[in-house]
Each structure stands twice: as C-alpha cells, then as structure tokens.
Amino acid sequence: MAKQKVLSVAAAAMTCLMLSGQAMAHGDVTPQGVETGDLTKLGEEWLEENPYRGKDNENYAEAVRIGDSAYNQNCARCHGLEAISGGIAPDLRELTPDYDGDEWFVYRVRNGAVRDGAVYMPKMADYLSQEALWAIRTYIESRRDEM
Ligand code: HEC
C-alpha cells in the first residue's frame, strides 16, 4: 500500500472515532459489533420471521436486553433514542410485529437505503449478525407499548 493511501485510511479511521457517539444524520458510520450471548443461533440464511418474538419466547428477555444496547449504539443516531423517532428517519415502532413488518425490516437492514448514490442508511446486515438484528427488532417491538 502506498504511504499516502495508508495515511488517508488512518485519517478516515480517526474521523470515524471522533464522530462516533455523536448524532449523525448520514450514512458515514461504522456500526458496532454486537455480542449475542445465549440467543439461539440462526445460521447464515435469513429467516422470514422474527424468531425471538413474543413474551412467551424463551429468547425474548435476552433479545430485548441485547437489542436495547445494539439499537441504541447502531440505529438510534438516525431512528431516535429508545426507538422514538426524532424525525430524521422513520419511527421503527410503526412496523407491525408480523410477517409483513418482518419482510420490510429484513429488506431494509440487508439493502440499506441508497438514492442517487447517497447512502441514507448503510446496509446494517453487512456489520451486524442476523441474531443481533432480530434482537434489535424484538427490542423495537417491546417499545410499541409506549406509542
Ligand atoms: C445513517 C442513518 C441510519 C442508520 C444508522 C440506520 N438507519 Fe434505518 N433508515 C434510515 C433512513 C433515512 C430510512 C428511510 C429510508 C427511505 O425511506 O428511503 C431508514 C429506514 C429503515 C427501515 C424501514 C422503515 C420504514 O418504515 O420504511 C428500517 C426497518 C430500518 N431503517 C432499520 C434500521 C435498523 C434496525 C438500524 C440499526 C441496526 C438502522 N435502520 C440504522 C437511516 C438510518
């Protein structure tokens, strides 16, 4: 790698460090890896429905706990603290906790949102595991009570 390239990569990494933790309304972010602990492992292939859904689910409490922290680290800067949208990006509690809501959720986290080359939302599934993303979905569903 040429020296200049190394320097510019280092500069970019530095910029990310400085910006992380601040509210940012664009796609230039490095999502945080998430420990998914004891949650049931799901494999590579994307499921069509939230496997941790519902208070009777043995994974529910753990999914909400992990999802809370993962959401607030990776999604809140655009979608709002505690899943309450501040208007920058849609309020994710609006997605119904069913097959249709799941389909749209999976589509967006895998594809992100890109228009005219501008990244409005990064492809979060490139950074976070399926387990972490369904945990986030479960956390968001738990927040519907306060709508
Ligand atoms: C950099 C800002 C940003 C981050 C970070 C971000 N999003 Fe988004 N997200 C958006 C924007 C903007 C839209 C609206 C895109 C559009 O409609 O074109 C969106 C749309 C969505 C939608 C579709 C919602 C709807 O009602 O249509 C889902 C689901 C979603 N995001 C999930 C997530 C999750 C989960 C995370 C964290 C893992 C996340 N997003 C992180 C900006 C972001």
Side-chain angles (χ1 to χ4, degrees):
M1 217 193 277
K3 192 168 182 197
Q4 201 173 355
K5 181 85 184 293
V6 175
L7 282 177
S8 69
V9 170
M14 193 69 98
T15 310
C16 276
L17 280 177
M18 292 189 310
L19 291 177
S20 65
Q22 292 177 17
M24 283 190 293
H26 57 85
D28 189 16
V29 296
T30 306
Q32 309 292 311
V34 173
E35 277 299 327
T36 53
D38 295 334
L39 290 180
T40 301
K41 301 281 178 286
L42 305 173
E44 288 296 305
E45 193 151 326
W46 271 88
L47 302 179
E48 294 186 339
E49 276 190 90
N50 183 356
Y52 307 140
R53 169 167 300 136
K55 294 191 170 121
D56 298 337
N57 190 304
E58 57 170 4
N59 285 286
Y60 181 80
E62 182 75 344
V64 170
R65 190 183 67 76
I66 290 170
D68 183 347
S69 140
Y71 172 90
N72 284 297
Q73 281 181 59
N74 294 289
C75 319
R77 66 175 70 93
C78 298
H79 289 283
L81 282 173
E82 300 185 338
I84 302 165
S85 172
I88 296 170
D91 194 309
L92 298 180
R93 297 171 302 168
E94 303 275 352
L95 291 181
T96 50
D98 58 14
Y99 184 89
D100 288 345
D102 287 348
E103 193 176 32
W104 189 229
F105 180 84
V106 169
Y107 178 83
R108 267 294 177 243
V109 297
R110 296 186 72 186
N111 295 287
V114 181
R115 273 195 304 276
D116 303 325
V119 177
Y120 290 88
M121 171 173 155
K123 296 180 182 179
M124 302 308 289
D126 287 358
Y127 307 97
L128 301 176
S129 66
Q130 176 172 197
E131 289 82 358
L133 284 161
W134 285 123
I136 289 172
R137 172 90 168 118
T138 308
Y139 163 70
I140 294 166
E141 288 174 14
S142 78
R143 302 282 305 147
R144 283 172 60 86
D145 294 349
E146 297 189 28
M147 274 171 77

